[in-house]
Amino acid sequence: MSPGGAHATGSRRHRQPRAASGTLGRSLAPGPADSADSADSAATGQPPRPGSSRGWAARLGPVRENRWPLLLGVAGTGLWGLSLRSVDLARMTDYGLLPALPPTWYLGVGLILAGAVLAVCRREPRELVVALLLAALVMALYGTIPLVAELPQYAWSYKHFGVTQYIELHGSVDPSIDIYHRWPGFFALTAMFSTVAGAPDPIAYAAWSEVFFTAGGALLVAAIGHRLLRSARLGWLAALFYVITNWVGQSYFAPQAVALLLALGGYLLVLDRFGRPRPTWPLRALLRLPQRLRWPAARVEALCLPGPEPAAEAGAPSTAPPTPPPSTPGAAVAPAAAGTGTAPGAGTAAGAGVPRGPVPAATTMVIARRPAGQPAPAAAGMQPVSPDTATLLITRRPAGGQPAGGAPQAPPAAGGTPAWPRGVALALVLLTHFAIVASHQLTPYVVVLGVVVMVVLGVVRPWWLAALLAAVTVGYLLPHLGYVEDRFGVFTGFDPLDNVQTSGVEAAGSPMPGKVFFTRMGTLLTATMLLLGLIGVVRGLRRGEGNVVVPIGFVVAAGLPVLGQSYGGEGALRVVLFAGPWLCVLAARALAPVSAAGWSARRAAVVLPVTGLVVALFLPSFFGQSELNIQDPDQVAALEYTYAHGEPGTPLFAGVPHIPASLAGNYDEFPGGVPTLVALGLLSGKEPTPADITRLTQEIGAYGEHSYLLFSDAQQAYLTINESARPDALRAWEDALLKSGHLTLWYEHGSARVYDFSRSRIQDLAEQAP
């Protein structure tokens, strides 16, 4: 949160102002910078009641004021914790984990959500209370599986364990092995962490990745929402939406999770230090949209980006001295001094709803709003602007300290933090972006596209920032371009409709009803967030809040990659992932009342049903494939034994895809890209015939004289849910191969078995017969 924010008091009492002591525990309610006066006193004009702010009564005051959110949160967390004892993973079906969760689990999550919504909607909420309730919600939604399952979920995450352990084992990477060694940033970081933490096996901590990355992403979304919406309260509401909409399952132990976190941090740096708008025609067109549609809204005269915590939320009364709006076209607007920036028209009908507050000198962008038909004022040193020829007026201050027009600059507000020099900010942006570039293949291009869109709109300056980020991205790709083109292809075709087709449940032969339900709920959740985002855009533009164009730009940028790349059938999911944080910001704006006075406990009656609907869609979307994502310990143990004791160079076959293979540091010693029985088209559901056995032995024998075959009950569950095979198809093939004489049992652990396959074993047995 930005420094110099307001410290709110109790909803009924007024206390003596006191200096800020930190971010946590600060009030989210609007008010002048570094003032403890409540919004109620500003609205009624009554002076705050004097008294000590350091006594025990003052310390207990926030607890009393937020007792209902805290009680709901504590009760919900307690019910959730007790419910974990009753979670039975054996009850999972094609509807995932949902049937295995007891009613107390759902009740606990509902109470935590209600407490978080009530804490955000209170007239004078406390950041510490909101943060604690969001943390409880993150733990309840994303910490349940780590607490009830023995191993990290997602079979595809186990190959990341293998790369990490390879770097630990060899102290270097080998680009000839696979693409992970060409983008090793994440794996090098985790290898270093494992070494320092004394946990050489990432399985020991990887299960908590979703909790960590979701919590970190929520904090960054809160900060971004605070700056774009000029309200800490709306920032936390955006973070709440982020927690309950992160359903695509990309926050696990993977480079994508770290890259997204770094991307959000990079966006925050860019908006903070390079968000100096210069209007372009696309931006003007967006901001003129309300006028074109003849909406009864004041006209936006400038874009405020991003600015720290405002003195008042949109529509809130101000305690600043009113500045009468100019009545003639030639009247000038006095630029606000750094640290005490006030929008022109503050405290008047024309300026109602304009954010006010301390603004750093290097990034001052003052919003000037006026009713339609009123001539635009001219800023100091600028010519008068006719309302018929322009709708934007930007008052810009140079970083050197002199406001526009040469007026003397006021010193920074007490308690304020000086802005970083732009050189330092640029170095941090480049460092963050290089970490993304070295870790993930797709994310840096989405980041560059986002900055390019902002430059095109005129929101981010200078233009060479986008060029510099693009140069870093392309420069890293060039040495690996041939490798990528040969194995994956840089472009999969300029067909967006084909590129958004997924390779998940929709591609299965005959998925069970639960899988179809899971897919539809994810689609419906995405559509719901798009609708909320659209409502937020409309409400923002109608009220002249030009900053809503920033999330629009990033949502557009998130969808651009699918114009030429399907990303292995995950293109649509990546669009949802990258657009999600910005849709959450717009969704928070959609639920904001007309004025700050509308925030109260009663506002929760509007926000809670919407967030409740979103959670109802999130649960099947996120937990709908848990019976496949939660890994079987027997199968993992069998694979660990194979990599530890198997003969190097021997291929490993399995019945179905998505097994937790390549989980050891020596995974490079075993051939990759081995097909499964499903890929070979052998599991059609019929009894295997001698011809089928001959075909399978030929297919497997093509990879060498000896191979390993892995069979387990977990593979049969995958086959039953996603394919049109009969329940005992894998067991039938296993029995048939055993009778053929090609297999000998090599290792068995519970429900998992590893066989040694020999192409010539039948001939050897015949020669040894008497």
Side-chain angles (χ1 to χ4, degrees):
M1 297 301 138
S2 300
H7 293 263
T9 62
S11 58
R12 302 293 183 198
R13 299 184 178 181
H14 306 284
R15 300 185 180 91
Q16 185 176 359
R18 61 187 176 93
S21 58
T23 300
L24 292 181
R26 259 191 323 132
S27 170
L28 308 186
D34 294 321
S35 172
D37 297 346
S38 68
D40 288 340
S41 64
T44 61
Q46 298 176 358
R49 180 178 302 176
S52 173
S53 61
R54 299 183 180 277
W56 285 107
R59 295 176 182 271
L60 294 176
V63 177
R64 293 197 305 269
E65 296 160 7
N66 293 275
R67 59 183 179 276
W68 286 113
L70 288 172
L71 286 175
L72 289 172
V74 171
T77 304
L79 283 174
W80 166 76
L82 292 175
S83 71
L84 297 179
R85 300 180 178 179
S86 304
V87 176
D88 184 7
L89 297 182
R91 296 178 56 191
M92 290 191 296
T93 66
D94 55 309
Y95 286 89
L97 187 65
L98 300 182
L101 298 173
T104 50
W105 188 93
Y106 295 97
L107 180 58
V109 170
L111 291 177
I112 297 173
L113 176 66
V117 170
L118 187 59
V120 171
C121 292
R122 290 189 63 84
R123 185 174 183 82
E124 297 177 17
R126 311 291 289 193
E127 283 191 275
L128 178 58
V129 175
V130 176
L132 288 175
L133 290 170
L134 279 184
L137 190 61
V138 170
M139 180 60 68
L141 294 178
Y142 300 91
T144 294
I145 291 180
L147 289 172
V148 300
E150 297 183 33
L151 296 170
Q153 60 175 341
Y154 307 117
W156 44 88
S157 68
Y158 283 73
K159 57 186 177 183
H160 300 158
F161 303 159
V163 180
T164 298
Q165 293 188 67
Y166 178 94
I167 297 177
E168 294 176 17
L169 182 64
H170 298 277
S172 62
V173 297
D174 184 356
S176 64
I177 296 177
D178 53 36
I179 195 170
Y180 294 120
H181 286 256
R182 294 175 179 265
W183 273 265
F186 166 77
F187 305 108
L189 177 65
T190 54
M192 182 181 66
F193 174 80
S194 297
T195 303
V196 173
D201 189 353
I203 293 180
Y205 58 85
W208 294 98
S209 297
E210 287 188 294
V211 174
F212 174 79
F213 289 123
T214 302
L219 289 176
L220 289 171
V221 169
I224 291 173
H226 180 188
R227 282 151 177 77
L228 292 182
L229 301 179
R230 305 285 292 169
S231 167
R233 182 201 303 271
L234 293 182
W236 284 111
L237 184 56
L240 173 61
F241 270 110
Y242 182 80
V243 171
I244 61 179
T245 58
N246 189 24
W247 68 274
V248 294
Q250 293 295 330
S251 297
Y252 65 100
F253 185 84
Q256 176 66 93
V258 170
L260 180 61
L261 209 63
L262 292 173
L264 291 175
Y267 287 146
L268 192 59
L269 286 171
V270 170
L271 290 174
D272 266 346
R273 297 301 299 137
F274 300 96
R276 305 176 63 185
R278 179 174 60 186
T280 58
W281 70 263
L283 180 58
R284 290 178 183 271
L286 283 173
L287 298 181
R288 284 173 177 159
L289 186 60
Q291 180 185 5
R292 300 293 185 189
L293 299 178
R294 297 183 179 180
W295 289 343
R299 190 176 301 172
V300 175
E301 299 302 339
L303 193 68
C304 188
L305 256 185
E309 186 170 355
E313 294 183 11
S318 174
T319 57
T323 303
S327 57
T328 61
V333 178
T340 58
T342 303
T348 68
V354 181
R356 292 173 291 273
V359 182
T363 60
T364 298
M365 300 293 151
V366 180
I367 295 180
R369 296 175 57 194
R370 69 180 189 281
Q374 179 177 320
M382 300 180 68
Q383 296 297 321
V385 182
S386 167
D388 298 326
T389 59
T391 59
L392 278 160
L393 176 64
I394 296 182
T395 303
R396 185 177 297 111
R397 287 168 181 67
Q402 276 300 103
Q409 180 181 2
T417 302
W420 287 344
R422 296 192 74 190
V424 175
L426 178 61
L428 289 174
V429 169
L430 291 177
L431 180 63
T432 301
H433 190 67
F434 183 79
I436 298 172
V437 168
S439 298
H440 198 245
Q441 298 81 29
L442 180 63
T443 304
Y445 296 93
V446 177
V447 173
V448 171
L449 287 173
V451 178
V452 168
V453 169
M454 294 300 99
V455 171
V456 171
L457 289 175
V459 171
V460 168
R461 296 179 61 196
W463 64 266
W464 52 258
L465 177 63
L468 190 57
L469 296 179
V472 173
T473 304
V474 175
Y476 191 91
L477 173 66
L478 289 177
H480 311 288
L481 185 60
Y483 181 92
V484 174
E485 181 63 33
D486 292 341
R487 289 164 174 79
F488 307 99
V490 177
F491 298 103
T492 57
F494 294 93
D495 186 354
L497 294 180
D498 183 66
N499 289 337
V500 296
Q501 299 298 319
T502 62
S503 59
V505 175
E506 298 87 345
S510 299
M512 298 182 71
K515 299 299 103 183
V516 178
F517 177 74
F518 144 76
T519 304
R520 291 177 177 174
M521 290 301 100
T523 303
L524 188 56
L525 175 56
T526 301
T528 301
M529 292 304 298
L530 286 171
L531 178 60
L532 287 173
L534 179 61
I535 295 174
V537 170
V538 172
R539 295 195 67 198
L541 290 180
R542 287 194 62 165
R543 298 199 57 216
E545 297 171 6
N547 286 3
V548 294
V549 302
V550 179
I552 296 174
F554 281 111
V555 170
V556 172
L560 291 178
V562 297
L563 295 178
Q565 177 61 255
S566 67
Y567 204 69
E570 295 185 0
L573 295 178
R574 300 306 168 114
V575 171
V576 174
L577 178 71
F578 293 126
W582 310 102
L583 291 176
C584 292
V585 172
L586 293 175
R589 180 61 191 86
L591 297 183
V594 176
S595 67
W599 287 111
S600 65
R602 295 182 179 180
R603 189 66 187 176
V606 177
V607 179
L608 186 57
V610 176
T611 54
L613 171 63
V614 172
V615 169
L617 297 174
F618 167 83
L619 293 179
S621 303
F622 183 71
F623 293 110
Q625 291 213 96
S626 294
E627 81 286 358
L628 300 178
N629 294 334
I630 295 178
Q631 297 305 299
D632 177 24
D634 293 337
Q635 185 168 245
V636 172
L639 286 167
E640 289 178 333
Y641 183 88
T642 301
Y643 284 105
H645 303 280
E647 182 180 351
T650 305
L652 173 65
F653 288 83
V656 301
H658 300 305
I659 64 170
S662 302
L663 50 74
N666 64 334
Y667 77 99
D668 61 303
E669 299 176 358
F670 295 83
V674 179
T676 63
L677 272 63
V678 170
L680 294 174
L682 297 173
L683 301 179
S684 58
K686 63 180 181 179
E687 283 284 348
T689 64
D692 294 331
I693 298 297
T694 301
R695 180 192 169 193
L696 177 60
T697 56
Q698 290 176 349
E699 294 281 359
I700 298 178
Y703 287 84
E705 175 62 31
H706 287 274
S707 299
Y708 296 120
L709 264 69
L710 171 66
F711 291 98
S712 68
D713 293 350
Q715 295 181 41
Q716 181 61 60
Y718 175 93
L719 192 63
T720 302
I721 289 172
N722 280 333
E723 298 292 335
S724 56
R726 66 184 190 183
D728 60 343
L730 273 180
R731 176 62 73 174
W733 273 91
E734 185 178 354
D735 293 340
L737 286 171
L738 283 171
K739 292 178 182 178
S740 70
H742 286 284
L743 297 185
T744 55
L745 183 63
W746 182 63
Y747 178 77
E748 182 175 11
H749 189 281
S751 63
R753 298 162 299 281
V754 180
Y755 293 95
D756 181 12
F757 169 85
S758 174
R759 182 175 54 185
S760 58
R761 180 170 287 118
I762 294 179
Q763 181 179 355
D764 294 340
L765 292 175
E767 294 176 353
Q768 296 174 6

